[in-house]
Amino acid sequence: VRLSEEEIDKECETSTETVLAGSCKCGQCRFRFPLSKVEPHGRIGQLDMSHCYCPACRRAHSAAFATYVTVLTSAIERVKGEDLVVARSDWCDHQANHVMRIFCGKCFSSLATFPKVGQTVCVTAGCLEVDPLPEVKSFISWCKHVAATEDSNTHGAAPTVCPEKAPIYLGFVPATKKQRQKAKQSSLAKQGPVTGGCSCGRCKFQLPRFPEEMQHCYCSSCRKLSGAAWQTWMPIEEGQLKWTFKDGLKLVRTTSHARRHVCTNCGVFMTIVYDEDGAVWPLAGVLDDACYTKEDLCLQVSDVSHICVKYKQPWWTLPNDGLQRIKGAS
């Protein structure tokens, strides 16, 4: 609930100044800003974050949703790497306008989104340093919410409230036998090729079908590079991923044991390639929404888990979905 201007002014005097810091994965781009300049309640020492589920933000961050901290633009202090920052034009449904996506030109970490109209910048929450990050008081959704139907895949759990523009795979758990049978009989199941790609459209790939497994990863690499709370990986068999467009596609080293495919034009990561066996896993966050349905998930996906949960940020709470939680990598 937003406080009125009078309530903010009244409590502002009791707020102690805290400075928040953010950086890219390689550390070459660093910035900071005072908590008091965070909208809407930073003046009273309260940190708020916003989730955007629009397709453009999801793809820009290769994730199920983007999480932002809205700050007055004039309050951002660029500490390091201003010459490495890259800006590109994009769209955001919430802003209902064109925006500028900001990322590090060296490691391609997503750093911020600038509305082209206004005096604020949306800093990606995933790039923020934990210390001295205060407790998040509220999460503000940038999309209309609708109640999930009774047919939602919750294994008897109470209906939840879901963003209408969220991807189908968000919150999915493997289907029951009854649900699979119903999906098999449905005309909505496509059971065909699955496509995906970057934001600018210069890099695209195709899979023969939706993968059988999804792993929601909370490691620092996924968080820093995407700017999101977590990313979802889909293990596939060798040779299943085919690149159909690869203008600007580059395989870059992101950890000591793996590399990732990124579009150097828009800074969007699409896959991870492991050194040990050469396995290529695509990200669910860059899939085209129209190429699969919930019925496809029910028929294809048999295993979903949360991995690297010991690295998750304190501001994000794991859902009570009954899925396996693995402390490290799977």
Side-chain angles (χ1 to χ4, degrees):
V1 178
R2 291 180 179 240
L3 300 179
S4 66
E5 287 298 316
E6 292 75 14
E7 290 174 315
I8 292 177
D9 291 336
K10 184 178 180 180
E11 297 189 32
C12 190
E13 297 180 358
T14 63
S15 175
T16 57
E17 187 70 307
T18 299
V19 176
L20 307 184
S23 66
C24 63
K25 186 179 183 297
C26 71
Q28 294 303 303
C29 293
R30 303 187 66 85
F31 60 90
R32 61 192 178 194
F33 54 89
L35 174 61
S36 62
K37 302 302 181 180
V38 172
E39 296 291 321
H41 300 132
R43 281 185 287 167
I44 59 172
Q46 178 173 317
L47 177 62
D48 302 289
M49 291 185 177
S50 302
H51 297 319
C52 188
Y53 298 83
C54 85
C57 281
R58 286 194 272 117
R59 195 180 295 266
H61 297 277
S62 312
F65 53 86
T67 301
Y68 300 117
V69 173
T70 302
V71 188
L72 291 177
T73 306
S74 59
I76 299 290
E77 179 187 354
R78 299 169 180 83
V79 178
K80 182 182 180 182
E82 187 171 0
D83 58 325
L84 289 175
V85 171
V86 178
R88 68 175 180 87
S89 182
D90 199 12
W91 178 267
C92 173
D93 286 354
H94 169 72
Q95 303 290 344
N97 207 333
H98 291 283
V99 296
M100 297 299 294
R101 306 283 186 189
I102 310 299
F103 61 92
C104 171
K106 183 176 180 179
C107 68
F108 301 101
S109 294
S110 180
L111 300 173
T113 293
F114 277 89
K116 286 192 174 181
V117 178
Q119 300 179 325
T120 59
V121 55
C122 303
V123 175
T124 60
C127 75
L128 296 178
E129 306 295 338
V130 176
D131 189 20
L133 200 67
E135 178 184 356
V136 179
K137 295 298 183 181
S138 67
F139 288 96
I140 304 167
S141 176
W142 283 358
C143 295
K144 178 182 177 181
H145 283 65
V146 294
T149 65
E150 61 180 7
D151 188 46
S152 60
N153 199 358
T154 55
H155 285 316
T160 56
V161 175
C162 304
E164 62 175 4
K165 293 188 177 181
I168 299 171
Y169 72 85
L170 180 61
F172 180 84
V173 299
T176 63
K177 183 177 180 180
K178 182 178 179 180
Q179 289 169 332
R180 286 195 298 271
Q181 184 62 33
K182 185 176 180 180
K184 189 175 182 180
Q185 297 172 350
S186 174
S187 61
L188 297 177
K190 297 186 177 183
Q191 294 185 280
V194 174
T195 56
C198 65
S199 283
C200 67
R202 296 181 184 179
C203 296
K204 298 181 181 181
F205 63 83
Q206 180 174 296
L207 306 174
R209 68 191 66 85
F210 201 97
E212 297 178 1
E213 183 180 357
M214 293 191 294
Q215 296 182 2
H216 306 310
C217 183
Y218 302 84
C219 78
S220 60
S221 291
C222 286
R223 185 179 70 252
K224 279 282 188 178
L225 292 174
S226 70
W230 46 276
Q231 291 187 296
T232 299
W233 296 103
M234 304 181 296
I236 58 175
E237 297 178 7
E238 183 179 356
Q240 285 192 329
L241 187 145
K242 304 293 184 183
W243 292 102
T244 53
F245 292 93
K246 47 184 179 181
D247 177 14
L249 184 68
K250 187 177 181 178
L251 189 58
V252 298
R253 172 68 59 184
T254 52
T255 65
S256 61
H257 62 276
R259 295 173 293 170
R260 302 188 188 204
H261 280 110
V262 64
C263 173
T264 56
N265 300 301
C266 62
V268 171
F269 285 93
M270 292 162 283
T271 76
I272 189 168
V273 181
Y274 290 100
D275 293 343
E276 183 178 1
D277 55 7
V280 181
W281 293 7
L283 280 161
V286 297
L287 294 182
D288 298 326
D289 289 343
C291 71
Y292 69 97
T293 65
K294 176 185 170 183
E295 285 70 22
D296 289 314
L297 296 186
C298 290
L299 292 172
Q300 291 294 132
V301 181
S302 58
D303 187 10
V304 185
S305 60
H306 299 282
I307 66 171
C308 295
V309 296
K310 67 179 179 181
Y311 303 112
K312 120 183 141 51
Q313 291 292 273
W315 51 263
W316 178 253
T317 302
L318 291 174
N320 185 23
D321 53 16
L323 298 176
Q324 183 181 16
R325 299 181 179 185
I326 304 172
K327 290 185 178 181
S330 60

